[in-house]
Amino acid sequence: MFLKRGVVVSLFAGLALMAGVAAHGAETDPVVASVNGKVVRLSDVENARNLLPTKLQGAPLREVYPVLMESLINSSLASEKAVKLGFDETPEYRLRMARISDQILERILLARHIEQHLSDDLIKQRYEQVAEKAAAQSEIHARHILVTSEDHAKALIGLLEDGDNFAQLAAEHSTGPSKTRGGDLGWFGPGQMVAEFENAAMALPTGEFTHEPVKTKFGWHVILVEERRPFVVPSYQDVREILANELSAELGQKYMEQLRSEAKIEKKSFEDVVKALQQ
């Protein structure tokens, strides 16, 4: 796909150089194993890596290569044996292959669509939009006291209004994990806290605490904003891959919505299926 092409090319080139192959005669997809005469190529290993969980897909090929190689060998041996036993002629096999075929074609279609529409200009345009919005935001350094009841929170606000120390009250009363730090949450920016908490904290002037308890799914909060600073906008290169992934997902979703809008689709609800089975 769009993001991995350069990585694959570099990988092939590096392996060729390691093997001492002259550049003009380098093989781009070398045979890496043979199982009863059936060859396994480097592209097979790379394709197998793309089927790993997302966290492992980004691992260096050197680390996952042995596991992938053994898996491909096992699959080849099992497949060969299954064919000899005639399993490839069973209704079960045909049914599963039809479903797998649909999934593979879906992935190829979406990959081609994304490759055609995901450009550097589009990614840069998204970056500029996000960066402009982020530049107008700020990060805050805050503390909070989390309790289970509104009355408790109001009582603590009364103590703060009388001059009690916020950090000390947090250490004594808060039920949150930050109580050991006097309620200190460190620095955070937009989108890092639940909406109710973020809205209340961002609206507070520096040095002020909330005079009304703030309710979230975690309980009742009293919030103090200690410092405020401009939000640091990350560089384009630092977030390019993240933005490209987001745009890829959006392009794929919109394309599927387009296909659905152009199709004639009839479907039954689960309740309708139950009724049909009961008839």
Side-chain angles (χ1 to χ4, degrees):
M1 287 181 63
F2 181 85
L3 294 177
K4 292 186 177 179
R5 184 175 298 153
V7 176
V8 174
V9 171
S10 299
L11 171 64
F12 287 167
L15 289 173
L17 289 172
M18 288 170 58
V21 180
H24 66 275
E27 186 177 356
T28 58
D29 194 12
V31 174
V32 295
S34 175
V35 183
N36 291 335
K38 180 181 179 181
V39 299
V40 178
R41 294 187 176 275
L42 180 60
S43 59
D44 296 320
V45 179
E46 182 66 26
N47 288 334
R49 179 168 68 163
N50 292 337
L51 297 176
L52 291 172
T54 304
K55 291 183 179 180
L56 293 178
Q57 287 182 19
L61 185 58
R62 181 186 297 276
E63 294 182 7
V64 294
Y65 179 86
V67 175
L68 293 175
M69 175 65 71
E70 296 307 314
S71 177
L72 287 169
I73 290 173
N74 289 343
S75 294
S76 182
L77 289 171
S79 174
E80 181 182 5
K81 184 65 175 179
V83 170
K84 288 180 179 179
L85 294 172
F87 292 164
D88 58 327
E89 300 294 335
T90 62
E92 177 187 9
Y93 171 79
R94 294 194 180 97
L95 182 63
R96 293 191 180 186
M97 280 303 298
R99 175 57 181 149
I100 292 172
S101 176
D102 284 349
Q103 291 176 329
I104 292 174
L105 289 172
E106 176 190 5
R107 291 173 185 174
I108 292 174
L109 176 69
L110 292 177
R112 296 290 187 271
H113 179 78
I114 292 169
E115 284 178 351
Q116 292 171 5
H117 293 84
L118 183 61
S119 64
D120 283 332
D121 287 342
L122 186 62
I123 301 173
K124 288 178 181 177
Q125 181 182 354
R126 173 59 62 87
Y127 172 76
E128 290 169 359
Q129 293 171 347
V130 175
E132 181 180 1
K133 183 178 180 180
Q137 304 290 333
S138 62
E139 291 181 306
I140 59 176
H141 179 199
R143 294 178 185 268
H144 82 138
I145 306 171
L146 174 63
V147 292
T148 58
S149 73
E150 183 178 14
D151 288 342
H152 192 176
K154 287 182 175 180
L156 291 170
I157 290 172
L159 293 175
L160 290 169
E161 291 173 341
D162 288 339
D164 279 29
N165 181 270
F166 194 101
Q168 184 175 342
L169 287 177
E172 293 173 356
H173 296 272
S174 183
T175 61
S178 64
K179 69 175 296 179
T180 58
R181 303 185 301 275
D184 192 354
L185 296 170
W187 288 95
F188 60 89
Q192 293 181 265
M193 298 292 181
V194 293
E196 301 90 343
F197 187 99
E198 178 182 314
N199 293 337
M202 291 296 180
L204 277 174
T206 304
E208 292 289 331
F209 58 85
T210 51
H211 290 272
E212 291 293 334
V214 178
K215 188 178 187 304
T216 72
K217 62 182 179 180
F218 301 106
W220 295 86
H221 305 258
V222 183
I223 307 168
L224 166 68
V225 173
E226 293 194 325
E227 301 174 84
R228 180 176 264 102
R229 67 187 180 190
F231 185 81
V232 179
V233 180
S235 70
Y236 172 71
Q237 289 302 325
D238 285 341
V239 296
R240 182 186 183 281
E241 184 172 355
I242 296 173
L243 296 176
N245 288 337
E246 290 178 355
L247 284 166
S248 295
E250 291 175 14
L251 286 168
Q253 181 179 350
K254 289 180 180 178
Y255 189 44
M256 288 306 306
E257 290 173 355
Q258 176 188 334
L259 293 178
R260 293 175 71 91
S261 69
E262 298 170 350
K264 180 181 179 181
I265 300 174
E266 298 177 359
K267 59 182 180 180
K268 293 182 178 180
S269 67
F270 181 77
E271 289 73 17
D272 290 337
V273 174
V274 172
K275 289 179 182 179
L277 290 172
Q278 292 173 343
Q279 291 176 354

